[in-house]
Amino acid sequence: MNIERFTTVLASYGASESRWPEAERAALADFVTVNPTARALLVEAQQLDDLLDTWTPATPAHLEADIMAALPRPYSERLLDWLLAPGAWLRPGFAAAMMLTCGVVIGGFYPDGDNAEDTGYWNDDLALMALDDNFDEDVTNDN
Amino acid sequence: MQLQAAEQTATHEEETALVERVRQRDTAAYQLLVRKHLRPLSGYAARMLAGAPEAEDIVQETLLRLWTHASRYRADKSRLTTWLHNIAHNLCIDYFRKHKRLQPLENQDAAETLLVTTGPDTGQQQQEVQRHVAAAMMKIPERQRSAVIMCHYQGLSNREVAEILGVSVRALESLLVRGRANLKEILEHEH
């Protein structure tokens, strides 16, 4: 160890031994005890360290919760949480109403027995009724 | 010295096991790691950005990447804190590139932001000193700033900081010498 290397270490890492390169720490500490110039340099470096040490930003209290809340979660879990959120009692009903509406809309695309465009069946029925002399209007209306 | 090294080794092994659990999507293990590393990372980002609100975003993104990219962490290459600081450092550099140069704390809003981040119980005189230190830190180049912050505040070794910055230890010391000299000159001039 020499004064040049000691000076460089102080200028780089400051006066605290814990920040000095681990491999040189013991040699640096010994050098301070035997070299008055080194001790003076140590005092000078400590002044900047003391100023730097005054700066202690606080960690925002909400940050941990924010980080945990931001974790990507499976879609099924998020949907369930949304439906069952406290105070959101309308959401399950809304979801059911949406499904019902979708069912009605989709069902409207499928033809049923009362479709006015499907007249082939009724034409045959009417033809048969016309051929029957005992045709009863009341019975027809019940159909 | 041997006890400290043994403690560090045990901690490294414990963290490696927790990271493995994080890879298996264990949120409890993840939360333990978040609690351990939140404060130092928050301090690093806050000092790099002089307490700007975006520092919280950087911390959040850094720790979120622990969840999404846990498979990329190599325990045989580095400590977890080194890996996380590497991410935070790169995010800070990206931020500076997007926002060009951060302005020094010259306006009242920025100064008040710094006061908030340092806590309400800090004395007025100490707050003033902290403001000067923060302002001085903002006036030195970003690489010097990152080097000084990581070596002085973050408990990283010179080898770890050199690895994060992608330089040799000698080059790191050159950055530190210039950074600390600049800080000293600025602070002496202002006092």
Side-chain angles (χ1 to χ4, degrees):
Chain A
M1 182 56 57
N2 52 54
I3 194 66
E4 288 77 23
R5 178 57 189 162
F6 184 84
T7 302
T8 299
V9 168
L10 245 59
S12 302
Y13 305 105
S16 176
E17 283 187 30
S18 63
R19 299 188 181 103
W20 294 346
E22 189 175 346
E24 299 176 87
R25 211 167 282 168
L28 289 160
D30 290 341
F31 191 73
V32 172
T33 62
V34 300
N35 192 303
T37 305
R39 286 197 292 274
L41 290 171
L42 197 69
V43 171
E44 188 178 336
Q46 187 65 54
Q47 292 176 0
L48 179 58
D49 283 359
D50 290 343
L51 280 174
L52 294 177
D53 288 341
T54 63
W55 193 16
T56 54
T59 303
H62 58 85
L63 202 47
E64 180 183 332
D66 289 352
I67 291 168
M68 297 308 296
L71 280 185
R73 298 167 63 202
Y75 177 76
S76 56
E77 274 188 33
R78 285 184 278 138
L79 179 60
L80 203 58
D81 283 351
W82 181 79
L83 285 174
L84 301 178
W89 54 273
L90 282 175
R91 288 181 186 173
F94 174 74
M98 286 297 296
M99 286 190 289
L100 183 62
T101 303
C102 288
V104 169
V105 170
I106 292 171
F109 286 99
Y110 288 91
D112 55 23
D114 292 326
N115 193 328
E117 294 178 359
D118 186 9
T119 59
Y121 172 78
W122 289 110
N123 286 338
D124 292 341
D125 219 16
L126 287 172
L128 286 173
M129 290 179 200
L131 292 172
D132 187 353
D133 291 338
N134 295 323
F135 172 70
D136 188 335
E137 192 172 342
D138 289 336
V139 173
T140 304
N141 286 339
D142 287 339
N143 290 335
Chain B
M1 189 76 72
Q2 285 183 341
L3 180 60
Q4 187 179 9
E7 285 175 349
Q8 287 185 354
T9 301
T11 301
H12 180 63
E13 289 174 351
E14 288 168 357
E15 284 198 328
T16 302
L18 285 172
V19 172
E20 182 55 38
R21 286 169 56 187
V22 170
R23 290 182 185 132
Q24 309 301 323
R25 290 297 175 256
D26 185 337
T27 54
Y30 175 73
Q31 190 162 17
L32 286 174
L33 291 173
V34 166
R35 282 182 183 162
K36 181 177 179 184
H37 294 280
L38 179 59
R39 186 175 176 184
L41 289 173
S42 178
Y44 172 74
R47 290 184 177 106
M48 281 292 284
L49 274 65
E54 290 84 353
E56 292 186 20
D57 297 336
I58 286 175
V59 176
Q60 191 162 337
E61 179 62 29
T62 300
L63 288 167
L64 193 60
R65 292 193 186 187
L66 172 59
W67 177 262
T68 58
H69 294 80
S71 59
R72 294 189 186 179
Y73 170 61
R74 296 284 305 277
D76 58 334
K77 296 285 188 185
S78 69
R79 294 191 296 158
L80 183 60
T81 184
T82 307
W83 189 71
L84 291 172
H85 275 89
N86 193 5
I87 295 172
H89 166 79
N90 290 333
L91 288 172
C92 287
I93 298 302
D94 287 346
Y95 171 82
F96 294 137
R97 283 180 187 147
K98 287 176 186 174
H99 296 84
K100 297 298 177 185
R101 198 175 163 79
L102 257 187
Q103 297 304 314
L105 294 178
E106 291 174 349
N107 59 72
Q108 187 60 28
D109 289 343
E112 286 176 356
T113 299
L114 176 61
L115 291 178
V116 168
T117 61
T118 56
D121 297 330
T122 309
Q124 189 171 359
Q125 187 175 5
Q126 192 173 7
Q127 286 178 348
E128 194 65 26
V129 173
Q130 291 185 55
R131 189 183 296 114
H132 284 305
V133 172
M137 196 68 78
M138 290 304 109
K139 292 178 181 176
I140 67 175
E142 287 124 15
R143 281 174 68 81
Q144 291 178 15
R145 187 187 317 152
S146 188
V148 170
I149 291 172
M150 283 195 282
C151 283
H152 188 86
Y153 296 106
Q154 305 305 115
L156 299 173
S157 72
N158 58 351
R159 291 182 186 276
E160 289 172 326
V161 177
E163 179 187 337
I164 290 169
L165 295 178
V167 299
S168 65
V169 171
R170 177 173 285 190
L172 168 66
E173 290 183 353
S174 177
L175 277 173
L176 290 170
V177 168
R178 283 182 280 142
R180 287 177 61 93
N182 287 337
L183 283 172
K184 184 179 175 186
E185 183 180 345
I186 293 166
L187 288 168
E188 285 177 349
H189 178 73
E190 290 187 354
H191 278 73

